[in-house]
Amino acid sequence: MQLSTVRRALAAGAFLGISLIVASATAQIKAGGGTVTSSTPGYSAARLSGQVLVPASSRPAPTDTGKKAHTNVRFITPSNTANPLFPPPYSGYPYETPGSLACWYALAAYTAGCNPLSTSLAVSTGGSKTIAIVDAFDNPEAAADLAYFSSQFGLPFSVSKFHVVYAGGYTPLLDSSGGWELESALDVEYAHAMAPNANIYLVESYDNNYTNLMAAVQEAINIVQCGNFTTTAGACGASPTGYGEVSMSWGGSEFSGQTTYDATFATANSKNVVFTASAGDEPGPIWPSTSPYVISVGGTTISRSLTNGNLQYEIGWDDGGSGRSTVEAEPSFQSSIPAVHAIANGVRATPDVAAIANPYTGVYVYDTFPQDYYYYGDWYIVGGTSVAAPVWAGVLNYANNANASWPVSTQVELTRLYNTSTNATTYGSAFKDIQYGFCNYYMSTRDTANWDLCTGLGSPNGRNGK
């Protein structure tokens, strides 16, 4: 298997050309030139009319269980009178940006309100090593879109730090039904937003069949362990020197054969690799988020003032996936914490952590390769726990590098995260405790202090405890 050299060359050209164009346009916008201007905090925030659309990729068929994965992504379909056809942030629409998230999640300098309408918010400048994003199908515009996105939001960017890999050496199919290309655009853009100095590999599976996706996961492991592109499993030996994260925003209902796939994530096969996986966008747990070798990432809502767009609260998202596994046993990092064990009660409970996911308070994503959508713009307001998983992958990359605390496995990282909850000081410095919201079937479970079934330990609070 090898990288497509022709495609990589084209992508590099697109990166450089688009970056120059957008940099110029962004400079005009920030200077007040042209017709697109950013809103100033204090002005009334407008409401983006429209509906939340769930693409085909996020609508599994009953026959998919145990065979095919689906995405966990939703987006807002704008009205004709207010749509994100112009570069954000634009007047009156305080949806989340790399700067607003870096502000709130303490990856950059804090500015009161963490207002996404402001063009003066600092962005994250952290990250190192490798983040591998595993998705199905091909997104031929992923490279150019990431360049445009980075330039628009002032993110550090280098053409040499983004790579597309065709898992197995086969050019992936296009997702004609729609959704996976938006997924991959979202994943690479927000992993990069949190850790812009990390090397990012988009590993594309031929399709969304679990067999092919897990083969892509294995290639992602190889890449992280070696710190560069490789085609051979175990190429870096029993003591690899590469470190990083593998983000998976896909999954599906649990099934009896999932524990066989768990072996790919197990410590013996994935030293120095931390996995994040979306917890799902509906009540109940999904796999691979329930794997004991994966960090399960649930969803939150970021509440902003209708008056000026300033942040008010972060609460649980009622559609976020959560619950107790029907297949996986309770792992030691949960059973060793009495308050967690009392709820898990012998089985794997999810999620472990959480981050922004509600599409009504979603993030800006740039995607020029939409398939079968009812809207033909390039900027999308996107939500789902598909946002939260790459955000956490980026946060962990930033934190592990800054703290020189690269773990030897996901379970080391999970143990570290859960252990913070045993001490109020360490917990408060590591997490934003989400204490309001409801989730699970019939909205039967509520967010409470410390760990809970809706948002796990909470959302990230900088690099402490990670």
Side-chain angles (χ1 to χ4, degrees), residues 58 70-74 183 249-251 278 280-281 286 383-386:
S58 293
H70 62 84
T71 60
N72 295 286
V73 65
R74 307 175 180 191
E183 177 68 71
S249 286
W250 40 266
S278 299
D281 294 352
I286 66 170
T385 52
S386 281

Side-chain angles (χ1 to χ4, degrees), residues 31 50 61 90 120-122 144 167 196 207 237 247 249 331 346 361 376 397 410 413 427:
Y90 62 95
S120 62
L121 288 179
D207 60 19
S247 179
S249 286
T361 67
Y376 296 98
N397 184 281
T410 306
E413 186 65 64
Y427 176 60

Side-chain angles (χ1 to χ4, degrees), residues 18 67 178 185 191 221 278 357 376 390 423 458:
I18 290 176
K67 299 177 181 178
I221 293 170
S278 299
Y376 296 98
N423 179 283

Side-chain angles (χ1 to χ4, degrees), residues 240-262:
T241 57
Y243 296 88
E245 293 73 29
V246 172
S247 179
M248 304 170 292
S249 286
W250 40 266
S253 299
E254 291 195 294
F255 55 99
S256 60
Q258 68 190 45
T259 54
T260 300
Y261 286 128
D262 282 344

Side-chain angles (χ1 to χ4, degrees), residues 1 5 38 51 62 86 118 160 167 174 178 222 255 298 342 346 395 401 412:
M1 186 188 77
T5 54
S38 174
Q51 64 179 1
F86 296 103
S118 171
S160 65
L174 296 178
N222 303 342
F255 55 99
V395 168
N401 181 62
V412 168

Side-chain angles (χ1 to χ4, degrees), residues 182-202:
L182 180 63
E183 177 68 71
S184 60
L186 160 67
D187 292 347
V188 299
E189 288 169 13
Y190 278 86
H192 177 68
M194 300 298 101
N197 287 320
N199 289 288
I200 293 185
Y201 288 80
L202 173 59

